[in-house]
């Protein structure tokens, strides 16, 4: 059943973002799907969602670390489609290295993409959402690494810890506007970003003794996006098999 609500998902072409797109489409949302470079995969995803769920999708392509490109693309989207009901800030990268060997560009690139995108994506969209005077949902993606740190991920952990702080602050500002702002913090999830070496080393620390599935993260996002979650805001919800 169509909900007549649109959700923007950044980093939607693969992994967790793609699973979120499928879950929200199945729930009846229309989607604005974003990628940085995998536009062919994004078009294929949109076609699949249209055929399976009759989902209308708007496609956006820009680098979330580029403030001007993000602003231009999102303002063009707003002009054509109006403010979305929900936003899922999912786009992110890793560049793991031991801190003494970490290059400046590895630090800067991860911070700019994972944390800088909070401003770059949300700043053009928040006031248009407020002006609608309708309820809304913003969901950011952190990580267990942002909560407890992880060897070789000082850059990634810093970016994801920053996301938690920014999310909690924005949640306070928007609470009286009936716009909830929450953070989902996945643990070890079975995606292309996880190497077999990392998986093997990390599994020992997971009480559930398995990797999570992208669909399990997507189910959490789907609940936070729903009407049932209207009184949940400023929270960090971990999907990590009991790691912390």
């Amino acid at each position: 059943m169509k909900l007549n609500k649109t959700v923007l998902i950044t980093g939607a072409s693969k992994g967790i973002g793609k699973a979120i797109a499928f879950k929200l489409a199945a729930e009846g949302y229309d989607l604005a799907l974003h990628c940085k470079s995998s536009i062919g995969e994004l078009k294929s995803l949109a076609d699949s969602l249209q055929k399976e769920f009759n989902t209308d999708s708007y496609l956006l392509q820009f680098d979330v670390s580029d403030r001007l490109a993000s602003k231009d693309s999102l303002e063009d989207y707003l002009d054509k489609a109006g403010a979305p009901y929900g936003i899922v800030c999912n786009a992110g990268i890793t560049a793991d290295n031991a801190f003494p060997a970490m290059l400046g560009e590895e630090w800067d690139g991860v911070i700019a993409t994972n944390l800088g995108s909070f401003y770059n994506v949300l700043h053009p969209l928040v006031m248009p959402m407020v002006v609608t005077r309708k309820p809304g949902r913003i969901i950011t993606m952190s990580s267990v690494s942002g909560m407890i740190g992880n060897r070789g991920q000082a850059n990634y952990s810093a970016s994801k810890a920053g996301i938690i702080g920014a999310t909690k602050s924005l949640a306070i500002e928007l609470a009286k506007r009936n716009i909830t702002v929450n953070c989902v913090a996945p643990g070890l999830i079975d995606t292309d970003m996880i190497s077999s070496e990392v998986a093997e080393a990390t599994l020992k620390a997971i009480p559930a003794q398995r990797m999570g599935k992208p669909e399990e993260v997507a189910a959490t996002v789907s609940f936070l996006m729903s009407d049932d979650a209207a009184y949940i805001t400023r929270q960090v919800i971990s999907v990590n098999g009991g790691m912390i």
Side-chain angles (χ1 to χ4, degrees), residues 218-240:
T220 305
V221 171
S222 176
F223 170 69
L224 290 173
M225 197 65 66
S226 71
D227 292 341
D228 290 337
Y231 201 54
I232 300 173
T233 195
R234 206 184 176 201
Q235 302 305 304
V236 180
I237 299 179
S238 297
V239 185
N240 61 37

Side-chain angles (χ1 to χ4, degrees), residues 5-177:
K5 295 177 179 179
T6 300
V7 177
L8 167 66
I9 306 168
T10 66
S13 64
K14 61 187 68 175
I16 291 173
K18 184 176 181 179
I20 292 170
F22 266 97
K23 179 64 174 177
L24 294 183
E27 296 290 336
Y29 296 94
D30 288 319
L31 301 174
L33 303 171
H34 159 270
C35 72
K36 176 183 177 181
S37 56
S38 305
I39 191 65
E41 294 180 48
L42 201 68
K43 290 178 179 177
S44 178
L45 172 61
D47 289 343
S48 296
L49 298 177
Q50 174 63 38
K51 290 176 183 177
E52 189 166 351
F53 305 112
N54 193 32
T55 303
D56 293 327
S57 298
Y58 186 102
L59 305 187
L60 301 96
Q61 183 179 11
F62 59 90
D63 183 348
V64 295
S65 71
D66 185 327
R67 184 164 299 159
L68 183 58
S70 300
K71 182 175 183 290
D72 287 346
S73 184
L74 290 168
E75 287 183 348
D76 183 63
Y77 164 73
L78 288 168
D79 287 342
K80 294 176 180 176
Y85 159 77
I87 306 166
V88 183
C89 295
N90 171 72
I93 61 170
T94 59
D96 296 353
N97 208 343
F99 188 73
M102 186 172 288
L103 302 175
E105 51 264 36
E106 291 174 329
W107 177 272
D108 292 342
V110 170
I111 296 295
T113 297
N114 297 357
L115 182 55
S117 62
F118 181 94
Y119 182 92
N120 297 344
V121 171
L122 293 180
H123 194 262
L125 297 174
V126 165
M127 277 309 299
M129 290 177 68
V130 169
V131 168
T132 68
R133 298 184 179 273
K134 296 178 181 178
R137 303 282 184 267
I138 296 173
I139 300 169
T140 63
M141 301 299 290
S142 181
S143 166
V144 66
S145 295
M147 302 176 75
I148 61 173
N150 196 26
R151 182 186 298 273
Q153 289 194 320
N155 51 359
Y156 187 74
S157 296
S159 70
K160 292 301 187 178
I163 284 291
I164 291 173
T167 298
K168 286 179 173 287
S169 294
L170 185 59
I172 297 172
E173 295 185 24
L174 296 181
K176 66 181 180 181
R177 307 290 188 177

